[in-house]
Amino acid sequence: MSIIQIDSNKRLDDIEHHFKVSAGPGAGKTHWLVEHIRNVLHHSNRLGKVRKIACITYTNIAVETILNRLGTSATQVDVSTIHSFLYRHILKPYAFLIADEYGLDYSKLDGHDELNHSHSKISNWLKSTSQQSLLKGKANILKALDTIQWQMTDSGELFLGLPINKTYLGKVTNISIKKNSYIEYRKEHWKLGNIHHDDVLFFSYQLIEKYPFILEVVRAKFPYFFIDEFQDCNPIQLSIIEKIAETETIVGCIGDPAQSIYKFQGAELGLFLSFSLNGMSHYQILKNNRSTIKIIKVLNFIRSDLTQEPVREVDGENPCLIVGSTKNSIQEVRKLCVDEDFYTLSRDNITAKALQNELDNTFNIDNLFESLSEIDSDRDRKQAVCSSIKAIELVREKKFKDAFKELEKIFPRSHYNISISIEYISTLIGEYDSYKNENLINFIEIIQKLFHSRLTKVSRGKVKEFYENTLYNQLSVCINIPDDMSLNKTIHKSKGDEFNNVLLVLKSEQELDFILSPQLADPKAEEHRILYVAISRAKNRLFISVPSLKVKNEPKFSEQFEIVRC
């Protein structure tokens, strides 16, 4: 397939053919897609009141961005994540067809979410699959259950299991969880009408395989099916898209293989490169509308498959490699940016939240929620502490829906009026300053008063030691905030965004290999792609913080970076 060079303002004259657009960071991929949608809306004779364009992207923030850019044109476009689209158009209306086969109570289906594990569900599952002896390793079981995902064999069969790089999680107390038993655990949730995000793919795939007429309905409703960020596609999603594209529906995708960073969700680097449909045209955008010339020079130094061309005629400042503690690096960036904001990007949630709270000494903290779960055997107290802290931090980030989902674990709506949850969280938010820097014993005393002494007091042993030696803000940094809007983000949450000033926080000099020995095209080198995505978010200034750098290695970076030691 020959590649046709275009820019982000190019409109396709022929809208009735499949297409693939590859483009680097800052190329204007979303802009091009929105303009193409407008072009189709204006020229197609295959749209109507019930026949729309489907536009698929991979985050809720991206959905909002596309909807805002479409404006009034959005009424004829169904913009959503792939899970939302499949749930609304395939799973929800047709689940009854396979409900009995999989023990799914479709009458209780109400969206898809993370699954709440409970002792009773895990116990029932282990008993029904003759694995009761594993119950003593519950903490390890939870890690496995949180990691399993639907996967596809070469023959097109789906199975629920651990990713190949995480199979070690299946070993609990020297005994392996039966590989074919994971689906039985999911059925403990399905019989209550609860499904995981990943289950949406499984059920949708099964429905269109067993009942092909569903595909005909989808094609009739959506003569055009466009996918943004296609490099994040996994094999099950790709198979569904290929089936939709077999006839009638025009499929178009846009993405960048060098930004494929969702391996933990099953995405595979090679899928974008190998994706092809009959009559498909392949376009490429080489322009970079985002960054300064000097930042693009670094991006091109790292990347070999395409050379980006700057659109902005702004040379800009040299990217800066700051050597020293994270705290000192932040102070240096504040000084250099004067009154401008800057965004810190880091590899994991704990580091991002620690940066937000300016807790520089917490970078080596593991997920303390896991430690708490293992140490505190009092189920009610443990649940109250964990869900309260999660709800507080979610409310502070204005994630009210997610916060009340957490509160429902303490105050189930079957027993408590919603007003109880509102009063509880309002009180805790109001008293935030009194406990945010104190230990968890202090926090437990506060929530005990609100629970009117229903919680057991912490009296002795390892659990008391843990609660006395762990601060509230140390535990709060372990919370994963969806669609984080703060100035301190994980790299994954920055995807699709751009910022005037970026500080990438690295934990070791070795991580600088993504600059010196880049392997963006290697499926196994996802860490290099993740860091490439991070630095490509910068528009005007780019800073990289690293704790140490050998003096002999300075010349390797001096051509591309200004080096500052602090």
Side-chain angles (χ1 to χ4, degrees):
M1 188 191 310
S2 60
I3 300 177
I4 304 166
Q5 301 297 331
I6 60 172
D7 65 42
S8 60
N9 293 311
K10 169 67 176 177
R11 293 192 175 190
L12 303 184
D13 295 326
D14 178 10
I15 61 172
E16 298 296 336
H17 70 275
H18 303 305
F19 64 83
K20 176 165 69 173
V21 179
S22 17
K29 294 185 288 294
T30 303
H31 170 77
W32 184 90
L33 181 58
V34 169
E35 290 306 308
H36 181 67
I37 289 171
R38 287 201 176 105
N39 188 31
V40 173
L41 288 171
H42 185 68
H43 292 98
S44 175
N45 59 7
R46 298 201 296 137
L47 298 171
K49 288 184 178 180
V50 295
R51 287 168 65 81
K52 297 184 176 185
I53 297 171
C55 178
I56 303 300
T57 189
Y58 284 83
T59 66
N60 290 319
I61 287 181
V63 169
E64 290 300 318
T65 299
I66 292 173
L67 285 171
N68 289 335
R69 293 191 187 183
L70 282 171
T72 55
S73 302
T75 56
Q76 277 202 284
V77 187
D78 188 319
V79 185
S80 63
T81 64
I82 185 71
H83 294 87
S84 174
F85 180 88
L86 295 175
Y87 178 82
R88 289 181 294 111
H89 296 290
I90 296 179
L91 177 52
K92 183 67 173 176
Y94 301 110
F96 71 94
L97 294 171
I98 58 173
D100 289 343
E101 182 179 354
Y102 296 105
L104 173 66
D105 187 345
Y106 67 90
S107 67
K108 294 181 180 177
L109 271 181
D110 185 24
H112 45 94
D113 207 339
E114 299 297 320
L115 298 177
N116 294 324
H117 307 302
S118 69
H119 180 80
S120 60
K121 290 187 183 74
I122 292 173
S123 182
N124 290 342
W125 162 55
L126 293 176
K127 185 177 180 180
S128 67
T129 57
S130 302
Q131 301 181 97
Q132 296 97 314
S133 60
L134 295 177
L135 196 54
K136 63 184 74 173
K138 185 179 175 183
N140 291 332
I141 289 175
L142 290 175
K143 289 180 183 177
L145 294 177
D146 283 335
T147 308
I148 54 174
Q149 58 189 212
W150 286 104
Q151 299 170 64
M152 176 179 277
T153 65
D154 292 339
S155 60
E157 297 295 318
L158 303 191
F159 68 95
L160 186 62
L162 292 164
I164 193 166
N165 62 330
K166 299 278 182 148
T167 53
Y168 63 89
L169 292 175
K171 198 154 192 177
V172 180
T173 63
N174 295 320
I175 304 173
S176 295
I177 299 172
K178 295 177 181 177
K179 292 181 180 179
N180 60 356
S181 74
Y182 288 116
I183 190 172
E184 299 304 320
Y185 175 70
R186 284 285 172 90
K187 287 180 180 179
E188 291 292 323
H189 292 273
W190 296 347
K191 66 185 181 184
L192 300 174
N194 300 321
I195 61 169
H196 189 270
H197 302 298
D198 209 31
D199 294 334
V200 175
L201 301 179
F202 169 73
F203 285 121
S204 298
Y205 184 84
Q206 297 299 342
L207 280 164
I208 62 177
E209 278 285 284
K210 298 173 190 291
Y211 300 95
F213 80 87
I214 296 173
L215 280 172
E216 296 177 21
V217 176
V218 172
R219 294 183 191 122
K221 291 166 67 177
F222 300 100
Y224 303 94
F225 197 93
F226 303 142
I227 309 104
D228 194 13
E229 303 289 359
F230 191 76
Q231 74 279 346
D232 298 328
C233 203
N234 70 32
I236 303 174
Q237 295 165 359
L238 179 64
S239 181
I240 292 172
I241 292 166
E242 286 176 333
K243 291 178 188 299
I244 292 171
E246 285 175 357
T247 181
E248 189 176 349
T249 295
I250 296 298
V251 166
C253 63
I254 186 165
D256 179 10
Q259 297 187 65
S260 177
I261 60 172
Y262 283 91
K263 187 176 180 180
F264 66 92
Q265 292 182 353
E268 294 182 9
L269 175 63
L271 294 183
F272 181 87
L273 298 172
S274 62
F275 181 58
S276 182
L277 298 169
N278 287 334
M280 174 175 272
S281 295
H282 187 184
Y283 304 97
Q284 187 179 60
I285 303 173
L286 293 178
K287 303 287 187 183
N288 183 314
N289 303 281
R290 175 183 297 156
S291 303
T292 63
I293 292 170
K294 288 185 176 178
I295 292 174
I296 293 172
K297 186 179 177 183
V298 172
L299 298 177
N300 286 337
F301 180 77
I302 293 171
R303 189 164 184 174
S304 60
D305 64 316
L306 64 80
T307 301
Q308 289 196 291
E309 304 164 3
V311 172
R312 296 172 60 195
E313 296 180 356
V314 178
D315 207 37
E317 300 174 11
N318 281 325
C320 187
L321 189 59
I322 305 177
V323 184
S325 72
T326 306
K327 190 172 184 178
N328 288 343
S329 296
I330 288 173
Q331 290 174 350
E332 182 69 21
V333 174
R334 281 194 180 126
K335 184 172 67 177
L336 293 170
C337 288
V338 195
D339 295 325
E340 292 184 40
D341 284 336
F342 63 91
Y343 283 76
T344 67
L345 302 182
S346 49
R347 184 64 184 84
D348 57 76
N349 287 299
I350 293 176
T351 305
K353 202 74 166 62
L355 285 165
Q356 184 177 346
N357 292 348
E358 298 189 0
L359 298 174
D360 193 53
N361 62 334
T362 64
F363 289 130
N364 294 323
I365 292 176
D366 292 324
N367 193 328
L368 291 174
F369 282 102
E370 293 178 3
S371 301
L372 190 157
S373 180
E374 293 175 9
I375 291 170
D376 194 347
S377 59
D378 188 305
R379 194 186 314 170
D380 291 339
R381 181 176 60 208
K382 177 168 55 181
Q383 186 71 71
V385 171
C386 291
S387 291
S388 296
I389 294 177
K390 289 177 181 178
I392 290 165
E393 296 304 316
L394 286 164
V395 166
R396 293 184 70 241
E397 294 293 334
K398 295 181 171 56
K399 305 295 180 184
F400 302 110
K401 183 178 177 181
D402 296 303
F404 279 96
K405 282 183 181 178
E406 281 299 328
L407 290 173
E408 197 170 348
K409 297 174 185 177
I410 313 172
F411 306 110
R413 295 200 184 173
S414 56
H415 295 85
Y416 296 91
N417 189 287
I418 186 68
S419 61
I420 301 294
S421 295
I422 294 172
E423 182 181 356
Y424 178 76
I425 195 65
S426 298
T427 303
L428 289 175
I429 292 294
E431 296 184 18
Y432 190 73
D433 288 342
S434 70
Y435 57 78
K436 67 178 182 181
N437 296 316
E438 302 297 328
N439 67 21
L440 290 175
I441 287 287
N442 176 70
F443 181 71
I444 290 173
E445 288 172 356
I446 291 172
I447 64 175
Q448 273 180 323
K449 293 175 184 176
L450 297 176
F451 272 84
H452 305 293
S453 301
R454 283 197 296 116
L455 295 181
T456 307
K457 186 178 179 180
V458 179
S459 56
R460 62 181 185 275
K462 286 186 177 181
V463 65
K464 184 180 182 184
E465 185 180 330
F466 176 83
Y467 283 129
E468 284 180 335
N469 295 328
T470 305
L471 303 180
Y472 173 93
N473 57 19
Q474 287 178 313
L475 197 60
S476 70
V477 302
C478 303
I479 296 169
N480 181 13
I481 304 293
D483 299 334
D484 190 358
M485 301 302 290
S486 74
L487 297 177
N488 312 94
K489 298 176 179 286
T490 65
I491 298 167
H492 283 87
K493 287 177 183 174
S494 75
K495 185 88 177 297
D497 218 332
E498 60 184 23
F499 314 107
N500 285 335
N501 307 304
V502 167
L503 168 61
L504 170 62
V505 177
L506 302 181
K507 292 186 178 181
S508 71
E509 181 178 348
Q510 185 178 355
E511 290 183 281
L512 290 171
D513 282 352
F514 88 100
I515 297 172
L516 299 179
S517 306
Q519 300 176 48
L520 302 185
D522 184 349
K524 296 179 181 179
E526 187 175 66
E527 288 301 319
H528 284 198
R529 293 192 293 277
I530 291 171
L531 298 178
Y532 170 77
V533 166
I535 64 171
S536 69
R537 303 303 96 194
K539 295 172 67 177
N540 299 330
R541 294 189 186 94
L542 171 64
F543 308 93
I544 299 178
S545 167
V546 64
S548 63
L549 177 67
K550 293 183 179 69
V551 174
K552 67 177 182 179
N553 288 334
E554 281 193 14
K556 298 176 183 177
F557 297 95
S558 57
E559 185 178 340
Q560 308 292 341
F561 292 87
E562 177 185 350
I563 299 173
V564 175
R565 292 185 178 270
C566 60

